[in-house]
Amino acid sequence: MNSFAEIFEMMTKQLDLTDVAYNLWIKPIKPVKLDNNKVILYVEEPYVKKIIEENYITKFQYHFKEILGFDVEIEINSKESSQSKFEPIPELDDDEDMQKRLEISIANGEYKHTFDAFIVGPSNKLAYSACKAVARMQTNTYNPLFIYGDSGLGKTHLLSAISQEMSVNFPEKNVIYVSAETFTNEFIQSIADSTMDKFHDKYRSADVLLVDDIHFIAGKSSTEEEFFYTFNELHRLGKQIVLTSDRPPKEIKSITDRLKTRFEWGLIADIQTPDFETRVAILKRKAQLLNMNISNEVIEFIANKLKNNIRQLEGCIIKMNALMLMTDIQPTILMAQNVIRDILTDHQPIPVTVEKIINEVANIYNVTPDEIRSQKRSANISTARQVAIYVVQEITGMPYTAIGMEFGGRDHSTIVYAINKVKSIIKKDPSYKSTIEDIIKNMRVV
């Protein structure tokens, strides 16, 4: 992860600009580096540099301070500048960034998908225990072992842990760990290359077959049939099969009943959203692996904001680590808030996210988005407005003043009142709480 490039991107997202202004004056800027409290930027054209210096420097400084927690001096170089020797930082894609940061920050391969690195809690205890029993060959009754749960909750981690532990304890075993997509692609390729015998030999000679995201084969009739025969052969020979999916077998649409039945032969274990205590434990473990010192206050703030996805928790810690290494500042709630906002909105502009939330709430309460933003105070509109304010704050983490501007220019105290009102009703009314949770869940998968 390129730390300063990410800080710069985070800063630009906070600018209130039209698309035209952004494309003309912000997009051409290349972040160079952060040197103590000096920000160095680069643009090709001197006239662009002049426009930025005259119109945007103060805004940049304000938002950099919000992110970094200290004042910065900004220097902009262009191709005619005496310091134009500065090279823009190369852009890396997310996967490459993540890998490089992990390689740099985690010594000796500590960060692995092993059982030791898996945080166990009430939400995943059955799945964890079953996987560990399979990896140690302590039982043959969990065959197949079918694990299901939403994306990002640890299913892939457990499959990888089985594979790694068996490779150490039972090196003679032929363990095949594959995604359903890879299985499908290899099957299609074997048909094209007339190498079906080789394909059969590979998969039907497995002592342990681990398949991630088995729901991927649903509706692919030829692949389903091939997996059906592979499954039958391995099961007949007493070989272990472990499958993961985002839903239980009976809810996988477009998959044949005979496969659903076989998926239910052994043990079905679900992984649910981790509770608060488990989320805190996960964050502390990831911080420990990165040699980060994060206060309990910041850890608990993150755990309260990122509730549905372990990958988000890990991503938050990794991004904060990058910022810490770059700025030499210890993690703060402000830093966490900026990182979380980026994660939760999935890189969508926050105004787009706010608009979607208001539209969703308006539909549920049978009012219009304009009425939610208006000064009308009828019971139904007021309720919808309070819910929308609460959900916006929960998902985006925007400052209360910024939320107020999105809702017709309401002041800070009005936003605080609305959020507290929703919190108090949630504690008393299960139906109301369920509605709020459904809205938040729907918005986070948009």
Side-chain angles (χ1 to χ4, degrees):
M1 189 182 312
N2 197 310
S3 303
F4 179 56
E6 189 167 70
I7 295 171
F8 179 76
E9 181 184 4
M10 193 180 297
M11 184 278 295
T12 62
K13 287 182 179 180
Q14 314 223 9
L15 298 170
D16 184 16
L17 302 175
T18 64
D19 290 342
V20 173
Y22 179 87
N23 289 329
L24 280 175
W25 313 120
I26 307 303
K27 197 171 181 180
I29 302 173
K30 301 296 182 184
V32 177
K33 68 177 180 176
L34 175 63
D35 187 4
N36 293 320
N37 69 333
K38 177 182 278 191
V39 167
I40 301 175
L41 307 174
Y42 177 85
V43 293
E44 284 288 322
E45 301 299 334
Y47 79 90
V48 175
K49 172 187 173 184
K50 186 172 186 296
I51 293 293
I52 294 169
E53 288 176 336
E54 290 177 353
N55 296 277
Y56 296 105
I57 289 291
T58 302
K59 293 180 181 180
F60 287 3
Q61 288 174 323
Y62 174 80
H63 291 301
F64 271 125
K65 185 174 181 179
E66 274 196 325
I67 294 167
L68 300 172
F70 57 82
D71 291 318
V72 298
E73 175 189 349
I74 296 178
E75 176 182 305
I76 301 177
N77 297 291
S78 68
K79 64 182 180 182
E80 293 184 4
S81 168
S82 60
Q83 298 189 47
S84 61
K85 61 185 179 181
F86 285 116
E87 291 295 329
I89 296 174
E91 296 181 2
L92 300 172
D93 61 46
D94 289 343
D95 289 340
E96 186 179 356
D97 285 350
M98 185 75 74
Q99 186 59 39
K100 285 184 178 297
R101 177 57 55 192
L102 290 175
E103 288 173 359
I104 293 169
S105 303
I106 305 167
N108 302 320
E110 280 185 272
Y111 190 96
K112 293 179 181 178
H113 282 165
T114 62
F115 286 118
D116 287 341
F118 191 85
I119 303 300
V120 184
S123 59
N124 56 32
K125 189 173 183 180
L126 175 60
Y128 170 83
S129 299
C131 287
K132 203 155 189 182
V134 166
R136 295 178 178 180
M137 299 185 69
Q138 294 174 333
T139 179
N140 58 5
T141 58
Y142 304 157
N143 198 18
L145 171 58
F146 192 100
I147 303 167
Y148 74 90
D150 290 339
S151 176
L153 295 182
K155 303 185 300 294
T156 299
H157 187 145
L158 288 174
L159 280 192
S160 181
I162 293 173
S163 177
Q164 291 188 51
E165 182 146 327
M166 293 200 79
S167 68
V168 173
N169 296 333
F170 308 100
E172 74 282 2
K173 297 291 183 182
N174 180 20
V175 179
I176 296 179
Y177 173 26
V178 66
S179 69
E181 182 178 7
T182 298
F183 180 91
T184 300
N185 292 338
E186 288 184 10
F187 172 62
I188 293 170
Q189 193 63 47
S190 69
I191 295 174
D193 297 342
S194 299
T195 55
M196 281 299 297
D197 288 343
K198 184 177 179 181
F199 179 86
H200 289 155
D201 288 343
K202 173 181 177 178
Y203 285 101
R204 298 183 190 183
S205 65
D207 293 308
V208 180
L209 178 61
L210 311 170
V211 183
D212 208 2
D213 294 331
I214 192 62
H215 55 269
F216 181 84
I217 71 171
K220 302 173 177 67
S221 56
S222 296
T223 305
E224 282 191 44
E225 184 175 9
E226 178 59 32
F227 190 79
F228 173 79
Y229 290 120
T230 299
F231 183 102
N232 280 353
E233 179 65 11
L234 293 177
H235 199 275
R236 182 184 67 82
L237 296 172
K239 307 300 184 180
Q240 178 68 54
I241 301 167
V242 183
L243 310 170
T244 73
S245 175
D246 62 357
R247 70 208 85 161
K250 64 182 180 181
E251 294 180 13
I252 304 177
K253 297 178 180 179
S254 303
I255 206 167
T256 60
D257 288 339
R258 62 181 184 174
L259 265 179
K260 289 182 185 178
T261 300
R262 280 160 176 75
F263 292 167
E264 294 172 343
W265 277 355
L267 176 67
I268 299 176
D270 69 326
I271 299 181
Q272 299 175 0
T273 302
D275 59 17
F276 175 77
E277 290 77 12
T278 304
R279 296 196 300 273
V280 167
I282 290 168
L283 289 165
K284 287 185 175 181
R285 174 61 173 158
K286 300 311 175 187
Q288 180 186 35
L289 290 172
L290 288 164
N291 296 317
M292 291 178 68
N293 181 23
I294 305 183
S295 70
N296 287 334
E297 183 184 25
V298 174
I299 289 283
E300 290 176 6
F301 176 82
I302 298 170
N304 272 315
K305 293 296 181 182
L306 299 177
K307 301 177 181 179
N308 300 310
N309 192 304
I310 292 172
R311 289 197 196 113
Q312 290 180 345
L313 295 173
E314 294 177 341
C316 182
I317 291 295
I318 291 170
K319 288 187 176 185
M320 290 180 69
N321 183 59
L323 293 171
M324 184 185 75
L325 292 175
M326 188 64 195
T327 64
D328 200 28
I329 303 174
Q330 289 303 305
T332 63
I333 286 181
L334 180 60
M335 181 191 291
Q337 188 175 39
N338 281 287
V339 171
I340 289 167
R341 180 167 53 210
D342 194 41
I343 289 172
L344 290 183
T345 56
D346 196 24
H347 304 290
Q348 291 184 26
I350 282 179
V352 175
T353 304
V354 171
E355 192 65 35
K356 288 179 179 178
I357 292 169
I358 292 175
N359 288 338
E360 175 79 2
V361 173
N363 287 334
I364 290 173
Y365 286 91
N366 197 28
V367 299
T368 69
D370 286 343
E371 285 175 326
I372 287 179
R373 288 189 167 100
S374 74
Q375 301 300 318
K376 294 181 180 179
R377 297 185 179 182
S378 66
N380 203 36
I381 293 173
S382 292
T383 298
R385 184 181 299 125
Q386 289 165 359
V387 169
I389 289 170
Y390 176 85
V391 174
V392 166
Q393 200 281 328
E394 183 74 12
I395 288 181
T396 69
M398 291 169 63
Y400 291 165
T401 51
I403 295 174
M405 293 302 296
E406 294 287 345
F407 287 84
R410 285 174 163 79
D411 61 25
H412 179 278
S413 61
T414 302
I415 301 304
V416 172
Y417 173 80
I419 291 170
N420 289 338
K421 181 74 178 291
V422 172
K423 287 180 178 178
S424 67
I425 300 175
I426 284 174
K427 293 177 181 178
K428 302 172 185 176
D429 188 339
S431 176
Y432 183 88
K433 178 182 178 182
S434 178
T435 299
I436 302 291
E437 289 175 345
D438 285 345
I439 294 170
I440 292 172
K441 184 176 182 181
N442 289 342
M443 287 298 97
R444 283 179 175 161
V445 299
V446 168

